[in-house]
Amino acid sequence: MLLKKQTVWLLTMLSLVVVLSVYYITSPEQTKNELASVQEKAKTEKENSQSNSKTEAKDEKTVVSTVAGDAEFEKLRLELDEARGEKLEELTAIMATTDLPADERMKAKDQMEKLNDIARKEDLLETMIRSMGYEDALVRADGEKVRVTVKSNKKHSKSEANKIILEVKKEMEDINIVAVEFQPSK
């Protein structure tokens, strides 16, 4: 006895519905309150991990803190992030436009990658400078210039500034001008 394709398909779907129904009925129920508590626990854990972003030293190793050092630094970081975000949105709009030739869209894509790369390098440099023993650092790359602002209680010297400049030039090879400014911590 030969079954038609439609019949086989119908029997398969019906058996699938039956299996899923049995699974749904026999599975343990989860009430909305339980789901809310699970989501609340996850949210609390996420907030705790963000607020406790200081790392503790074990075996006398270097401690790197990602906690913001100063409101002024945070304000400048936010402004820089907003400006980059707007530029990335513009470039995304250019890439999405089908009226433009492919080479212009590729240029926009390259600029997006360059902006993301610069942001990544700035974050890396800030972390490296903090690991050198400074309280906080702000790195802003603009074209061929990089401005580094370092917050420290230490007595700053030309040799300390030169170490920072060397690190910046090592990370960003195409940079010609690096300015280092020291700010005393409060």
Side-chain angles (χ1 to χ4, degrees):
M1 176 161 114
L2 203 55
L3 295 175
K4 294 183 180 179
K5 284 184 179 180
Q6 287 180 337
T7 309
V8 172
W9 186 83
L10 180 65
L11 290 173
T12 305
M13 289 298 127
L14 285 174
S15 63
L16 183 62
V17 168
V18 169
V19 169
L20 289 175
S21 298
V22 169
Y23 175 76
Y24 180 76
I25 291 170
T26 60
S27 68
E29 289 185 34
Q30 220 176 18
T31 64
K32 290 182 181 179
N33 291 338
E34 289 174 357
L35 285 176
S37 67
V38 169
Q39 290 173 350
E40 189 174 307
K41 284 180 186 178
K43 184 178 180 182
T44 305
E45 289 174 4
K46 183 179 176 184
E47 288 173 357
N48 286 341
S49 69
Q50 289 175 350
S51 66
N52 295 331
S53 59
K54 285 188 176 182
T55 57
E56 295 181 15
K58 293 182 180 177
D59 302 329
E60 299 181 18
K61 292 185 179 179
T62 304
V63 176
V64 177
S65 172
T66 58
V67 175
D70 191 64
E72 183 180 329
F73 276 28
E74 279 304 305
K75 180 183 173 191
L76 290 171
R77 282 187 185 109
L78 284 174
E79 289 174 0
L80 184 62
D81 286 343
E82 286 176 9
R84 279 209 181 112
E86 290 173 3
K87 184 67 177 172
L88 286 172
E89 285 179 19
E90 291 174 13
L91 292 171
T92 303
I94 290 172
M95 285 179 50
T97 306
T98 57
D99 299 341
L100 295 175
D103 61 331
E104 287 185 31
R105 289 186 286 176
M106 287 303 294
K107 286 179 187 177
K109 181 181 180 287
D110 292 341
Q111 286 178 343
M112 283 179 67
E113 288 175 357
K114 186 176 179 182
L115 279 175
N116 289 330
D117 188 46
I118 288 172
R120 184 188 53 78
K121 286 180 180 180
E122 285 176 349
D123 289 340
L124 179 69
L125 285 169
E126 287 176 2
T127 304
M128 287 172 63
I129 292 169
R130 280 189 222 113
S131 70
M132 294 168 74
Y134 297 105
E135 287 181 35
D136 201 359
L138 179 65
V139 179
R140 292 165 289 177
D142 184 28
E144 294 183 2
K145 296 188 307 185
V146 174
R147 292 179 302 199
V148 179
T149 308
V150 180
K151 181 183 259 195
S152 173
N153 281 336
K154 293 183 191 178
K155 181 181 175 187
H156 53 276
S157 64
K158 290 181 180 178
S159 64
E160 293 294 319
N162 283 336
K163 288 179 186 176
I164 294 170
I165 290 171
L166 286 174
E167 289 297 324
V168 171
K169 286 194 174 198
K170 207 183 298 181
E171 189 62 35
M172 299 180 167
E173 293 92 18
D174 57 338
I175 299 300
N176 293 330
I177 302 169
V178 179
V180 177
E181 176 187 346
F182 287 94
Q183 283 186 354
S185 62
K186 298 176 183 176

